Amino acid sequence: MKILNFLSLFSTYLLAESLNIEDNAGQFFSSGHTNNWAVLVCTSRFWFNYRHVANTLSVYRSVKRLGIPDSHIVLMLADDMACNHRNPKPATVFSHKNMELNVYGDDVEVDYRGYEVTVENFLRVLTGRLPPSTPRSKRLLSDDRSNILIYLTGHGGNGFLKFQDSEEISNVELADAFEQMWQKRRYNELLFIIDTCQGASMYERFYSPNLMALASSQVGEDSLSHQPDLAIGVHLMDRYTFYLLEFLEDIHPASKTNMNDLFKVCPKSQCVSTPGHRTDLFLRDPGSVLITDFFGSVRKVEITMETINLTNPIEQLEENAVNGELQKEMHSYADQLPVSEIIHQKPKQKDWHPPDGFILGLWTLILLVFFKTYGVRHLKHIF
């Protein structure tokens, strides 16, 4: 009798496990996409728009960390803040004050830079209507199984977004470009995020299916800057993207966080503006859409029946060239400093740089005091 009860419990356990595996597999394949792409665009030039470059690079850093490779990212930066002569820390772009987090890194691949960032080039990238000579790195080679993240930041108004203060794209043009993408089977699902003033006006005219949109502000509202830095002399980020970055730092490739959690990023108490979102064109329930469906990348999976312990150091067999015998060499993953510690650590004293013109102003003050005290005839004592 006990044996029968045991067999019954064991069979029930196996059935529950099989159902759990089927549920997980069903959730894994529910999105229907096989690859991920990202188009990240900063539309602003000039040093005082430093924050827009930092916004874009922050999202770029997050999607790369979550698995989208550079080959599937189209990065468009209208200005090169890292090499700007006013940058006290060359080859860096910081997203947190006191230079705590460098989002430029050492492996940034910019596909369109400077005057290449135009409305025409942006629309050509989306629709695939590029000249035959265009290299693969500048193309959006997506298909009907691609989930695409499109992020825009810059200066805008009611129904338009400016490109480099010389031209603009309207919400109608953007909506028509997305419809062309759908008709040409260039995406499976599309997530559109924009951080600009009156950002919600940019998705009002969308009419293509399987499209979800988020904006940092409603019509009639401004998107505000954040994180002023005295050494650099400008604001480092916009509020919405700053809190979006903090949200993404807690996401990992196996995270179960969904889009409903993303909608709660930067409430009005933090953003001052009112973030908005639109989901009526999206076919799936946002609660079932994982963040990694857009910010991460689909990985190739190898199925094995063997048990693999991922917590212990990895053992690798290498052949000894001297004795010809096999030796076991222990390898382990390097410990990484948590991002929460990076962005909250205090800057070192040597990292501080005086603002632009500080040294020149100091010398001017010294010379004025000297002339006031001794006159021009004693100028030879200085030189």
Side-chain angles (χ1 to χ4, degrees), residues 74-273:
V74 179
L75 180 61
M76 308 176 76
L77 298 181
D79 206 344
D80 191 0
M81 298 304 176
C83 297
N84 192 294
H85 69 281
R86 299 179 67 178
N87 192 343
K89 282 276 193 175
T92 60
V93 174
F94 294 96
S95 64
H96 288 65
K97 61 183 179 180
N98 297 324
M99 305 181 186
E100 294 174 357
L101 183 59
N102 175 24
V103 292
Y104 194 76
D106 55 1
D107 59 347
V108 174
E109 294 186 16
V110 183
D111 301 299
Y112 292 82
R113 65 173 69 245
Y115 291 109
E116 291 182 321
V117 182
T118 62
V119 173
E120 179 183 356
N121 283 342
F122 173 61
L123 293 178
R124 286 184 178 277
V125 167
L126 295 184
T127 58
R129 296 179 175 179
L130 291 165
S133 59
T134 304
R136 291 178 61 89
S137 62
K138 291 189 173 186
R139 294 177 180 269
L140 179 65
L141 301 174
S142 57
D143 54 36
D144 60 346
R145 288 296 186 182
S146 302
N147 276 12
I148 303 178
L149 166 68
I150 297 179
Y151 174 86
L152 296 174
T153 183
H155 292 289
N158 190 353
F160 69 90
L161 176 68
K162 293 196 295 184
F163 272 65
Q164 307 206 32
D165 286 339
S166 60
E167 57 179 345
E168 62 188 35
I169 184 173
S170 68
N171 53 6
V172 176
E173 292 171 320
L174 191 60
D176 289 342
F178 290 157
E179 177 62 18
Q180 289 185 50
M181 294 177 68
W182 175 255
Q183 294 294 339
K184 297 173 70 173
R185 302 168 65 90
R186 289 179 60 80
Y187 74 86
N188 172 58
E189 293 173 336
L190 192 148
L191 175 63
F192 174 78
I193 301 178
I194 185 167
D195 190 348
T196 185
C197 297
Q198 308 191 58
S201 65
M202 292 302 292
Y203 60 63
E204 287 180 339
R205 300 298 184 91
F206 290 174
Y207 56 94
S208 304
N210 261 10
L211 196 152
M212 188 186 307
L214 292 91
S216 60
S217 57
Q218 298 292 335
V219 178
E221 293 183 339
D222 293 332
S223 289
L224 302 183
S225 55
H226 196 42
Q227 295 285 307
D229 189 278
L230 296 178
I232 297 179
V234 291
H235 285 80
L236 301 186
M237 288 191 76
D238 285 320
R239 284 180 176 268
Y240 181 79
T241 304
F242 175 82
Y243 290 106
L244 174 64
L245 174 62
E246 286 200 337
F247 171 80
L248 292 176
E249 290 298 340
D250 294 328
I251 305 299
H252 52 85
S255 176
K256 299 300 181 183
T257 309
N258 59 55
M259 283 296 165
N260 285 335
D261 300 312
L262 182 62
F263 297 156
K264 301 174 185 177
V265 168
C266 198
K268 191 170 184 178
S269 59
Q270 293 177 326
C271 269
V272 182
S273 61

Side-chain angles (χ1 to χ4, degrees), residues 251-306:
I251 305 299
H252 52 85
S255 176
K256 299 300 181 183
T257 309
N258 59 55
M259 283 296 165
N260 285 335
D261 300 312
L262 182 62
F263 297 156
K264 301 174 185 177
V265 168
C266 198
K268 191 170 184 178
S269 59
Q270 293 177 326
C271 269
V272 182
S273 61
T274 309
H277 60 271
R278 182 178 176 184
T279 60
D280 58 299
L281 298 172
F282 204 74
L283 302 183
R284 288 197 290 156
D285 177 19
S288 65
V289 181
L290 300 178
I291 296 296
T292 51
D293 281 355
F294 291 99
F295 289 90
S297 180
V298 175
R299 308 294 184 90
K300 293 182 179 180
V301 177
E302 180 180 349
I303 300 177
T304 177
M305 301 303 294
E306 299 178 2

Side-chain angles (χ1 to χ4, degrees), residues 48-60:
F48 56 84
N49 290 320
Y50 180 103
R51 64 188 184 276
H52 295 153
V53 175
N55 289 346
T56 311
L57 289 175
S58 297
V59 179
Y60 171 80

